[in-house]
Amino acid sequence: AAIAAVAAAGGGQVRFTRGSYLTGRVELASHVQLWIGPNATLQGSADASAWTPYRYRGCIDTTKRDFGGPLLYGQGVQNFSISGGGTVRSSGPVWWPLHANTSRGTLLTLVRCHDGLVQDLSFINSPGANILPILSRSIRFDRLRITNPWSSPNTDGWDPWGSSDMSFTNSVVETGDDCVAIKSGNAQQTPNFWSVGPEDCAASSNILVENVSCIASHGLTIGSEMSGNVTDVIFRNVSIGKAFAFWSEAARLVRDAPTFRPPFIAKADD
């Protein structure tokens, strides 16, 4: 309600200064700064009904399929920020045992959003993937700490889908799956893809991943969902615990191979 009211007034800042706030889905809005202070936590409810599913037209979805609801969600949002030094946390352990049968939510999903900043936050115990920018552009993700136990299933750190002009910098990722996975959709998993339109299966392009530590994560991945192509990706000064994964599908579809700029440190786990 506070975010909607500030947006209706033309924009401004909504502040969480101190304490833990139990919540379901939080809807972001254009021209609104969401500030979560160093002593504040947005705590996602363990009640599944509070995680409202969402739908959108796109290459990784059909209009008939519900995806698990995100805790923070924006669709068509522009000129926004989420920052402040605080924490976004979920009741991940409630969801992880159900991963084979349940469409689990994320901590932050942005669909068709642009001109944004996500900075100085901790994301902890996501039910599924942590941060998903989908069909979005011109958003900076900076100074984030993303933490899930290594045993938590499919808890990717940062997964841009069909998005462009993105940066993920100066951050630490410790999860149970990919540290970073750059995707562009899967038409084969979308029966009505051609009725939606090719524009809904956009390429991921002009992406920078720099000064990122991937701890106990699966490393860097291009794919496996690649129907829209991936181009112009730079990984620079990235330390990972496992090797870079370049899927066979990516080998067929990526037009310009990712660029690794030194120092790049990759080591295999014992």
Side-chain angles (χ1 to χ4, degrees):
I3 293 176
V6 170
Q13 188 177 75
V14 174
R15 297 174 64 90
F16 293 87
T17 57
R18 183 181 296 273
S20 181
Y21 301 83
L22 184 65
T23 183
R25 189 164 90 187
V26 176
E27 297 272 358
L28 306 174
S30 296
H31 311 295
V32 175
Q33 303 169 3
L34 179 61
W35 192 87
I36 306 169
N39 297 311
T41 297
L42 291 187
Q43 173 66 55
S45 172
D47 181 357
S49 65
W51 293 71
T52 311
Y54 67 95
R55 294 183 177 187
Y56 66 94
R57 299 173 67 87
C59 190
I60 67 168
D61 189 10
T62 73
T63 55
K64 296 180 180 179
R65 179 177 177 182
D66 288 334
F67 271 59
L71 186 59
L72 300 177
Y73 179 62
Q75 182 160 357
V77 175
Q78 60 180 302
N79 189 24
F80 68 97
S81 67
I82 313 169
S83 62
T87 299
V88 180
R89 180 191 294 268
S90 173
S91 304
V94 174
W95 304 98
W96 299 330
L98 307 175
H99 75 280
N101 303 310
T102 302
S103 182
R104 292 166 297 140
T106 68
L107 290 183
L108 171 62
T109 294
L110 302 168
V111 179
R112 301 186 187 280
C113 297
H114 63 89
D115 297 297
L117 172 66
V118 181
Q119 186 176 63
D120 295 328
L121 294 169
S122 294
F123 291 86
I124 300 175
N125 287 351
S126 179
N130 282 266
I131 300 175
L132 268 66
I134 300 172
L135 300 170
S136 295
R137 58 182 170 84
S138 302
I139 303 175
R140 292 191 294 124
F141 298 83
D142 184 48
R143 298 199 297 265
L144 305 180
R145 184 167 189 106
I146 301 172
T147 307
N148 280 57
W150 67 268
S151 58
S152 57
N154 304 119
T155 51
D156 289 11
W158 187 71
D159 288 8
W161 288 74
S163 295
S164 61
D165 303 320
M166 295 274 171
S167 62
F168 180 47
T169 57
N170 307 309
S171 297
V172 176
V173 180
E174 183 175 5
T175 69
D177 209 326
D178 297 322
C179 176
V180 172
I182 299 173
K183 305 171 183 283
S184 61
N186 191 334
Q188 293 178 343
Q189 293 179 357
T190 311
N192 69 343
F193 164 61
W194 294 115
S195 65
V196 173
E199 70 278 5
D200 291 307
C201 203
S204 282
S205 63
N206 194 23
I207 293 175
L208 171 67
V209 178
E210 182 174 33
N211 298 333
V212 173
S213 295
C214 302
I215 304 172
S217 300
H218 291 188
L220 309 176
T221 301
I222 302 291
S224 58
E225 298 86 349
M226 293 287 299
S227 292
N229 207 353
V230 172
T231 69
D232 302 308
V233 176
I234 293 177
F235 298 105
R236 180 190 292 126
N237 195 24
V238 178
S239 175
I240 61 178
K242 294 186 179 180
F244 171 74
F246 194 77
W247 290 75
S248 59
E249 185 180 11
R252 290 191 296 107
L253 294 174
V254 173
R255 186 165 62 240
D256 301 308
T259 301
F260 295 91
R261 301 284 178 84
F264 179 82
I265 303 170
K267 62 180 181 179
D269 287 347
D270 294 332

